[in-house]
Amino acid sequence: MQKPAHRFPFIVLAVLVVLTACVTVNIYFPAAKVEKTAEKIVDEVYQEKKDTPPAEQKGKPSSMIDGGLLGGLTRLAWLGPATAHAEDATTVSNAGIRALKEQIGQRHQELLPFYKQGQVGITKDGFLEVRITSGLGLPQVATLKRLVDADNAARRQLYEEVGKALNLQPDQISQVRQIFAKQWREKAQAGWPVQADDGKWSTK
Amino acid sequence: MTLKRTALWCGAGLAALLGIAALTVALAVTLAVRQPELIRPYVQRALAPRGGSATLAGLSVTISPPTLAISGLVISGPPGEGELLRIDRLQAELIPARIFSGGPRLRHVEAKNIVFERLRPSESETPLDLTPLTRLFDIEDLSLTDARVRLAFPGGDLAAEGLNLSLIPGEGGIRALTGDGKLTLRSDGSVFAEGNLSARGKVTPDPAIEVSLELAAARLSVRGQDIGGLPLKGDLAFRSGSFSGNLNGDNLSAAALLSLAKVLSGRGLDGWSPSGTVSVAARIEPEKPGPRVTAKIKLEQIGFSSPPGDVMGGKLSGRLDLDCLLGPKPRMKADLVINQGEALWGTVYVNFMQNPLDLHAGGTRAATDEYKDLLIKGGLAGFGRLKLEGKARRAGGTWHHQGRLELGETGLGPVFKTFLKDPLAAGHPDLASLKMDGTVRMELSFSGKDKAVDLNGRLLLRSGTLLREGEPSVFSGLEIDLPISYSVGIADPGRSGPLLAAEWGRLSLKELRLGEEKIGPLDMPAVLVPNRLYLGGNIDASLFGAKLLLQRIQVDEPHSPNFRIHLAAKVDGLDLSKLSSKMEGRLGGVLDPVQIDSERVTATGDLTGELFGGKTNISRVTVARPFTPGREFGGDIKVDLVDMERLSAALSSGRVTGRISGSVEGLRISYGQPVAFHLKMESVPTKGMDQTVSVKAVNSISVVSTGSSLGGSGSSFMMGFFKDFPYSKIGFECGLKNDVFTVRGLIREDGVEYLVKRRLLGGINVVNGNPDNRIGFSDMVERAKRATGEKNK
């Protein structure tokens, strides 16, 4: 029996629909978590807020010793209240991020005079840029440029580390940068140059 | 007879023609004198350029004295692109007797309101044509008043207004020349520069012209703001068909000169913000095959910054000597010396007082788009000398070039400090205390098209040493003799194989230090062929008690940021105690291939060996960002039947006996700390081996898992009676992610999660009372220190 001619395209269409359904990828970007992380890191770098000790997890003890034959003694060996300090689950951190944050923080202290003089500013992409060099000798300009280059390299790595810690795709790192850029600029002190999203520079 | 007759006829014909011509001239002169309006249309037509027009309002000719007078002459080129000449009145008196003898042929020339305008920039590449000045030789007495010249340049136009020029006859046929006028340079519709030009000199019967020029009260301004003066003085002479002269200017503003160059060239030179002054002494002298132009330029306190700010100079002083031989094949030579000031290129800073720069360049333009004898040589004092010589020509829109590049004996120390250590130390603190010694020398020939270049030659490095201040050298005695064959800008250079053994160079190293360990001496053949560096033979060394064998070392694109290193590594008998005093065991294995690039190190293969009496296997070894301080080590570790008594003794965390097996997966270590891992361990009952755990060990487990030690009198009571408790199983897993540790027991019975499960008839249980416990990284570090008795620093 001859098959209807229109059946083949219908099957192809059906297969395509099924395939399309199969390859649908749900891209998730944890914006809130990145934002919290950025806020925390920027605060610590700028040292506007002092580090607060992590909240202690209160509640039942985390472990205990059951002494078996020495069951009675287990109560004596009851481990006191757990003092495990839980990290803030809404932020991201690891050894790399902590080290980079520390580097950027240390360098920030060296960059502070340049921020205040308007010689270095924060770009819309979350990096630093040398704005003006008037009033600086060439050795100082060299120092400033080297600091900015080193800081930008650390920032670039920081954004990648945060993305990696959150299992983000490489093309999502730009969103991490933008979130950090917002925090760097919002928390900048008055008098620092900042670049708006439209590319225009102003003094905060 | 025939010849004589022919000559007779020719003579008669010629006489007739001359007669007709004389009659025509006589008729024309008669017409011009009597009826000038009749010949005016013919004169207009003769004066009109191609595509342009000419109009003449008045024409008169007188016989005695023989004088020509015209008025209202306007000659213009093609609309929109031609030149314009307008003469309100011009009268010239001829000296007929001098038509066939020497001397000026015009007795008196008087011109008023001459206007010459060139509305479009000249596209000619030849220098300004000054031969019209030779017309002065033909004039005995000249009076040119209120003339105006306007010439367009790419960035504006130059106008000379109110020009007056006079020749006054004197003794011996010498005529005194005087002239003056106002020069104005306009750009973007406003006056950019203006000054008064004056000329004094003489025209002699040689014939020759000698004139002194002075540009006085010259000021340059941009948008109404004065940016500096441009006072120039010079002499110009024309003799025996050649020009000579000089032009001098002292303390000319560099900003003004750059602005002038921008206006004259029309090129975008905005944003360079120069400062300082330039003094110029230029000469032009007649020479074969063309005039020679020389200039001595003194640079004082020059500062500049490129528009993006990546190249800057400050307080630069020195001199620039230029020597150009013009002609059909112009030759140019330039010598630059900068011995004061400083410069910044990106993050590379150079102080020219400490390291003066001398640079010499030259070349010949053999034809359009063909240059020969190109030479650049020079360098920074204390660094080394670079010499580049070659030729280039363009054919079919492509530049072909070839030549030689020679780097003389160059100290590695200054190069390392200036180009590597100082610029990068802010981001790589390890570099700050490093110092390099040794020398390098290189000779290369090159040839190619546009940006694609093939390089061939040799690199010699001698006595290379890298040391940290106050410490033994990181490496010493590095000697490299490397034949180079390299292709730049070619996507696929063909990848030749290694050359014949005789054509290989050598690389040797006296000693390499890694911590307390030393490697060396090393010696191996080396060669660079497009585009791969081969190190032949093996590197056979002892490291941390192990025999290390590196084989098949190759580096793809070694001079590119995208370099890739390939090698095979064999490790035999690596003593773990030399890596850490708390470790015990040996490792060995083959990693093949190992691939290293700027982003990652990956290794195929496993390292296996002994660990605390058991066995271990390390696989999937990686290093991310290996050349940055934030390099991250990764790998998976498996352990099998590790003796916990030896392990716990090493950790000083109490005594645990028995054997344990397990794994650490996804281990990542960065900045000396773990970033992530998942550890899973379970004890394995082993015949002949007790399974006990001491109170101190229980206390350590307690500290690590809860943060608290065994508190109160209970532990003291227990420790008074019991040293060790038997256990039936230890099983736990812990992970680190996002700076949070989690600890879980692997033994689950009746809803209870045990880390340590006691034996049926005795012992001790360690129960994980809070499986959801999350421990912060810093807290865990603190706990680990307490558990192992390590003191806080």
Side-chain angles (χ1 to χ4, degrees):
Chain A
M1 195 173 77
Q2 199 172 5
K3 292 181 180 176
H6 64 271
R7 183 169 290 178
F8 180 70
F10 175 76
I11 292 170
V12 170
L13 186 65
V15 169
L16 281 174
V17 168
V18 170
L19 280 176
T20 308
C22 289
V23 299
T24 300
V25 176
N26 187 14
I27 303 289
Y28 166 70
F29 183 78
K33 203 163 188 175
V34 176
E35 200 162 319
K36 276 277 183 192
T37 304
E39 195 175 347
K40 185 165 181 266
I41 289 174
V42 171
D43 276 344
E44 288 175 18
V45 168
Y46 285 167
Q47 292 187 333
E48 287 181 349
K49 294 177 186 173
K50 298 291 177 195
D51 289 342
T52 51
E56 289 185 1
Q57 196 174 55
K58 306 282 185 186
K60 76 186 219 182
S62 60
S63 72
M64 63 182 183
I65 291 177
D66 179 4
L69 289 174
L70 299 169
L73 296 177
T74 55
R75 285 171 181 78
L76 295 175
W78 184 270
L79 306 176
T83 55
H85 293 168
E87 291 290 310
D88 186 351
T90 59
T91 62
V92 183
S93 180
N94 61 36
I97 292 171
R98 272 184 281 111
L100 290 164
K101 180 181 67 182
E102 193 177 332
Q103 277 181 29
I104 294 170
Q106 285 172 357
R107 215 173 278 118
H108 178 72
Q109 298 305 315
E110 295 179 69
L111 284 164
L112 259 179
F114 298 111
Y115 277 120
K116 289 174 181 169
Q117 306 269 349
Q119 286 150 341
V120 66
I122 304 161
T123 72
K124 61 188 174 70
D125 299 319
F127 294 103
L128 301 184
E129 184 179 305
V130 176
R131 296 294 304 146
I132 52 171
T133 55
S134 54
L136 296 177
L138 232 47
Q140 288 171 296
V141 177
T143 301
L144 173 59
K145 285 185 169 187
R146 289 165 185 173
L147 283 171
V148 167
D149 276 10
D151 209 60
N152 282 340
R155 284 172 186 240
R156 189 170 290 110
Q157 200 180 329
L158 173 69
Y159 305 148
E160 287 171 4
E161 282 294 335
V162 169
K164 204 159 75 175
L166 289 167
N167 295 321
L168 298 181
Q169 299 297 313
D171 60 357
Q172 291 178 299
I173 301 300
S174 60
Q175 291 172 265
V176 176
R177 278 204 308 264
Q178 283 167 5
I179 289 171
F180 268 86
K182 185 167 172 272
Q183 291 296 326
W184 292 122
R185 289 176 294 173
E186 281 184 1
K187 294 177 186 295
Q189 289 177 17
W192 296 6
V194 291
Q195 187 183 33
D197 288 338
D198 62 3
K200 289 179 182 166
W201 284 88
S202 63
T203 302
K204 190 154 181 205
Chain B
M1 296 305 142
T2 305
L3 185 62
K4 191 180 285 183
R5 190 177 299 155
T6 304
L8 191 67
W9 277 108
C10 285
L14 185 60
L17 283 173
L18 285 172
I20 291 168
L23 274 172
T24 305
V25 171
L27 183 63
V29 170
T30 305
L31 276 174
V33 174
R34 303 285 182 188
Q35 300 287 335
E37 65 277 6
L38 289 180
I39 65 164
R40 201 176 61 197
Y42 299 100
V43 174
Q44 287 180 163
R45 197 176 300 166
L47 292 173
R50 182 174 294 176
S53 63
T55 60
L56 184 61
L59 171 71
S60 70
V61 178
T62 60
I63 299 293
S64 181
T67 306
L68 171 70
I70 58 174
S71 61
L73 174 66
V74 178
I75 302 173
S76 56
E81 61 178 67
E83 298 170 343
L84 171 74
L85 174 67
R86 198 175 73 221
I87 301 176
D88 277 6
R89 180 173 166 73
L90 172 68
Q91 182 176 317
E93 183 185 335
L94 192 68
I95 308 175
R98 291 188 181 158
I99 290 177
F100 301 106
S101 63
R105 295 175 179 87
L106 298 171
R107 185 185 309 283
H108 178 76
V109 175
E110 187 178 341
K112 283 184 181 172
N113 295 330
I114 294 181
V115 174
F116 177 75
E117 291 183 345
R118 192 174 68 198
L119 302 173
R120 287 187 61 188
S122 170
E123 293 175 0
S124 169
E125 294 182 0
T126 56
L128 187 62
D129 183 11
L130 297 174
T131 50
L133 286 175
T134 60
R135 296 284 79 88
L136 292 174
F137 296 141
D138 287 336
I139 302 171
E140 200 170 73
D141 178 4
L142 170 69
S143 172
L144 176 71
T145 55
D146 206 14
R148 187 157 65 90
V149 177
R150 187 176 156 216
L151 303 172
F153 287 91
D157 62 70
L158 175 70
E161 291 165 329
L163 279 177
N164 300 309
L165 187 65
S166 69
L167 280 179
I168 300 170
E171 289 182 2
I174 296 173
R175 287 146 282 161
L177 183 149
T178 57
D180 58 66
K182 183 179 180 183
L183 283 181
T184 306
L185 188 59
R186 286 186 175 82
S187 176
D188 297 330
S190 59
V191 173
F192 166 75
E194 56 186 356
N196 297 324
L197 180 69
S198 61
R200 300 282 182 276
K202 59 187 178 184
V203 179
T204 61
D206 299 349
I209 301 173
E210 293 172 9
V211 60
S212 295
L213 299 164
E214 182 174 355
L215 184 63
R219 303 299 302 176
L220 275 70
S221 59
V222 173
R223 288 180 284 278
Q225 188 176 356
D226 191 286
I227 57 170
L230 200 65
L232 292 170
K233 282 185 180 179
D235 298 307
L236 186 66
F238 181 80
R239 188 176 287 111
S240 304
S242 300
F243 282 100
S244 62
N246 61 67
L247 182 68
N248 301 303
D250 287 337
N251 299 319
L252 306 175
S253 156
L257 286 175
L258 188 76
S259 300
L260 187 63
K262 178 192 159 194
V263 171
L264 296 180
S265 69
R267 292 185 181 169
L269 299 169
D270 289 327
W272 279 84
S273 57
S275 60
T277 61
V278 176
S279 297
V280 181
R283 290 185 61 80
I284 180 168
E285 295 170 325
E287 197 160 316
K288 297 294 179 187
R292 177 185 290 274
V293 178
T294 57
K296 291 190 180 298
I297 300 167
K298 189 177 171 191
L299 310 169
E300 288 182 286
Q301 300 287 306
I302 298 292
F304 65 86
S305 174
S306 65
D310 53 345
V311 182
M312 303 173 85
K315 299 178 180 174
L316 298 168
S317 294
R319 67 172 198 277
L320 172 64
D321 294 342
L322 295 173
D323 185 351
C324 306
L325 185 61
L326 304 176
K329 295 181 179 179
R331 258 194 345 247
M332 194 276 283
K333 200 174 77 160
D335 301 311
L336 173 70
V337 174
I338 303 287
N339 47 23
Q340 283 186 46
E342 48 200 2
L344 187 64
W345 180 26
T347 54
V348 175
Y349 169 82
V350 177
N351 185 323
F352 293 110
M353 187 165 309
Q354 294 166 1
N355 305 103
L357 168 76
D358 72 283
L359 199 61
H360 312 273
T364 301
R365 186 182 182 189
T368 304
D369 291 340
E370 184 175 0
Y371 296 87
K372 287 184 175 174
D373 306 323
L374 297 173
L375 172 72
I376 298 174
K377 63 176 181 179
L380 289 166
F383 280 72
R385 311 283 300 168
L386 188 71
K387 183 179 175 185
L388 175 72
E389 53 189 351
K391 59 185 180 181
R393 67 181 173 83
R394 190 162 70 173
T398 303
W399 279 101
H400 301 254
H401 39 76
Q402 68 177 89
R404 286 179 54 77
L405 173 70
E406 191 180 312
L407 177 68
E409 197 88 352
T410 300
L412 286 173
V415 173
F416 175 75
K417 180 179 186 302
T418 305
F419 296 99
L420 204 64
K421 179 180 148 180
D422 289 351
L424 300 178
H428 296 73
D430 287 352
L431 281 173
S433 58
L434 287 176
K435 187 182 166 193
M436 186 170 250
D437 282 331
T439 61
V440 66
R441 191 155 60 89
M442 188 168 64
E443 285 180 16
L444 293 174
S445 63
F446 66 86
S447 65
K449 298 174 186 175
D450 287 336
K451 292 180 179 175
V453 187
D454 288 320
L455 301 163
N456 288 283
R458 209 163 192 96
L459 178 141
L460 296 166
L461 191 148
R462 295 279 173 259
S463 307
T465 302
L466 183 68
L467 46 93
R468 203 174 292 282
E469 284 170 22
E471 293 182 18
S473 54
V474 178
F475 66 74
S476 63
L478 177 64
E479 306 278 333
I480 298 175
D481 175 3
L482 182 67
I484 292 175
S485 180
Y486 202 79
S487 298
V488 179
I490 298 171
D492 183 7
R495 301 210 183 284
S496 317
L499 306 171
L500 298 171
E503 294 169 310
W504 283 63
R506 295 210 75 75
L507 184 151
S508 60
L509 184 65
K510 188 177 171 189
E511 186 180 277
L512 170 67
R513 244 173 214 277
L514 295 172
E516 296 300 314
E517 294 289 319
K518 294 178 191 172
I519 294 179
L522 304 172
D523 185 60
M524 69 200 79
V527 69
L528 177 59
V529 294
N531 264 355
R532 181 176 284 173
L533 172 69
Y534 289 90
L535 297 179
N538 302 330
I539 294 180
D540 198 346
S542 292
L543 184 67
F544 301 114
K547 188 180 175 194
L548 175 68
L549 186 67
L550 302 179
Q551 299 171 297
R552 305 197 316 272
I553 305 172
Q554 299 171 5
V555 187
D556 292 346
E557 305 288 343
H559 292 119
S560 153
N562 302 320
F563 71 89
R564 289 177 304 280
I565 304 172
H566 310 262
L567 56 91
K570 186 178 178 186
V571 184
D572 190 13
L574 177 67
D575 186 350
L576 295 176
S577 68
K578 294 195 174 182
L579 290 176
S580 166
S581 60
K582 294 194 173 184
M583 300 280 273
E584 180 192 326
R586 285 186 175 272
L587 271 182
V590 175
L591 300 175
D592 185 9
V594 178
Q595 300 201 38
I596 304 167
D597 60 40
S598 60
E599 290 297 316
R600 200 165 183 80
V601 177
T602 55
T604 304
D606 296 353
L607 294 174
T608 57
E610 295 174 8
L611 183 69
F612 293 109
K615 290 184 178 173
T616 187
N617 174 288
I618 300 174
S619 59
R620 296 175 61 194
V621 176
T622 61
V623 185
R625 302 179 300 275
F627 303 103
T628 68
R631 62 189 67 89
E632 182 184 279
F633 298 90
D636 292 339
I637 303 170
K638 285 184 180 168
V639 294
D640 190 31
L641 298 176
V642 165
D643 184 343
M644 281 195 285
E645 187 170 5
R646 288 153 73 175
L647 174 62
S648 55
L651 295 175
S652 307
S653 55
R655 182 169 175 271
V656 185
T657 61
R659 290 195 181 268
I660 198 165
S661 297
S663 63
V664 184
E665 291 183 345
L667 175 64
R668 288 162 49 205
I669 297 171
S670 185
Y671 294 96
Q673 295 184 338
V675 172
F677 65 83
H678 181 248
L679 179 148
K680 194 172 180 180
M681 293 286 166
E682 288 180 281
S683 62
V684 181
T686 307
K687 197 175 179 182
M689 187 166 273
D690 291 337
Q691 293 192 144
T692 61
V693 55
S694 71
V695 171
K696 186 182 176 188
V698 173
N699 188 56
S700 296
I701 295 169
S702 170
V703 167
V704 167
S705 59
T706 70
S708 298
S709 57
L710 297 172
S713 58
S715 67
S716 305
F717 179 78
M718 282 193 293
M719 290 181 74
F721 284 91
F722 303 96
K723 292 290 181 192
D724 300 299
F725 300 99
Y727 70 87
S728 66
K729 185 163 186 179
I730 293 175
F732 62 91
E733 63 179 340
C734 73
L736 171 65
K737 187 180 178 187
N738 192 22
D739 262 1
V740 174
F741 278 97
T742 52
V743 181
R744 298 294 302 265
L746 288 175
I747 310 155
R748 294 181 177 105
E749 289 181 7
D750 301 328
V752 180
E753 187 175 301
Y754 299 90
L755 300 170
V756 181
K757 184 76 175 73
R758 69 177 172 84
R759 279 188 181 167
L760 184 63
L761 297 176
I764 190 167
N765 285 334
V766 179
V767 176
N768 187 8
N770 182 7
D772 296 329
N773 192 15
R774 294 154 51 82
I775 308 156
F777 183 86
S778 53
D779 192 21
M780 180 54 91
V781 171
E782 181 63 29
R783 293 179 189 192
K785 285 179 179 173
R786 284 165 58 199
T788 57
E790 191 178 327
K791 289 182 180 176
N792 289 331
K793 289 180 180 176

